[in-house]
Amino acid sequence: MRVGLTGTPGVGKTTLAGLLDKRGWRVVDVKEWAHAEGCVVGFDEEMGTDVVDVTTLRARVPPDDGTDVVYESHLSHYLGLDEVWVLRCDPDVLRVRLEARGYSPDKVRENLEAEAIDLILSEALEEGGRVVQRDATHRSPQELLSSLLATRGGSGHDLERVDWSDRLPV
Ligand code: DAT
């Protein structure tokens, strides 16, 4: 199964991917892979992030060969994978993590706003395919992993409800 692990920066994607790696999953760091494929087509100065040609990258995703592969990136919901896991985190908690990373105030605000308005979830749902959402705020990475493995391959979306609209404006 090919899973896209997505979410706003700082929600815990890399941490969870590390646990999946330990369980024998193949982990694709989409940013690294995009570079290797020549699919990084620019740099967004304002956001301080690479601009990735997701359409080309999506066409290069290998078909499911029966092994468990996780594609980790805030863009992975654009890759046409078998299932998408959206991790969420309370913007108040996320703020501390993003500031600790040294993100600029604009970049922090942009990401917190995206989290508060469910931006990535909406994008993932628009893409089609099965979407699973979990709130990672008060779960250990291990608890999160168990919850995601329990639902994977199921039918229909499995969306844990979050509502941080009261945090706006961030
Ligand atoms: P991402 O890859 O989505 O940017 P990360 O895995 O680098 O996020 O995690 C960001 C920070 O949060 C990092 O310091 C580890 C911590 N963290 C990750 N998952 C967590 C969890 N479930 N509970 C508490 N802290 C977590």
Side-chain angles (χ1 to χ4, degrees):
M1 168 179 249
R2 304 162 307 165
V3 170
L5 178 55
T6 189
T8 306
V11 293
K13 300 181 296 296
T14 309
T15 305
L16 186 76
L19 291 185
L20 288 164
D21 179 50
K22 282 195 192 132
R23 292 182 66 109
W25 284 54
R26 197 158 73 76
V27 176
V28 178
D29 178 328
V30 174
K31 194 173 170 177
E32 266 176 25
W33 181 48
H35 272 284
E37 293 284 335
C39 289
V40 176
V41 292
F43 187 76
D44 183 336
E45 294 286 348
E46 208 173 308
M47 284 304 288
T49 54
D50 289 329
V51 178
V52 174
D53 174 1
V54 282
T55 308
T56 303
L57 209 52
R58 180 184 175 120
R60 294 185 188 172
V61 172
D64 183 16
D65 65 359
T67 59
D68 289 324
V69 188
V70 61
Y71 289 76
E72 189 230 314
S73 165
H74 65 289
L75 297 172
S76 65
H77 51 286
Y78 288 124
L79 296 177
L81 301 168
D82 304 313
E83 192 165 289
V84 169
W85 296 350
V86 184
L87 300 190
R88 305 299 303 274
C89 182
D90 186 313
D92 290 346
V93 174
L94 204 53
R95 181 188 302 276
V96 178
R97 294 184 189 172
L98 298 184
E99 286 176 350
R101 281 185 180 180
Y103 281 13
S104 70
D106 276 355
K107 194 170 174 183
V108 171
R109 197 176 319 111
E110 187 111 3
N111 281 300
L112 295 182
E113 193 176 286
E115 188 61 7
I117 65 168
D118 307 324
L119 181 65
I120 289 192
L121 173 67
S122 314
E123 291 172 354
L125 290 171
E126 261 178 47
E127 284 295 303
R130 182 170 194 249
V131 179
V132 173
Q133 170 167 276
R134 289 294 180 270
D135 181 359
T137 313
H138 302 295
R139 280 194 176 101
S140 69
Q142 192 58 56
E143 285 170 333
L144 200 56
L145 177 68
S146 303
S147 171
L148 287 162
L149 291 180
T151 187
R152 76 151 171 159
S155 61
H157 301 317
D158 177 354
L159 307 177
E160 193 167 84
R161 207 177 155 273
V162 301
D163 182 359
W164 294 310
S165 53
D166 62 334
R167 310 298 162 82
L168 291 166
V170 297

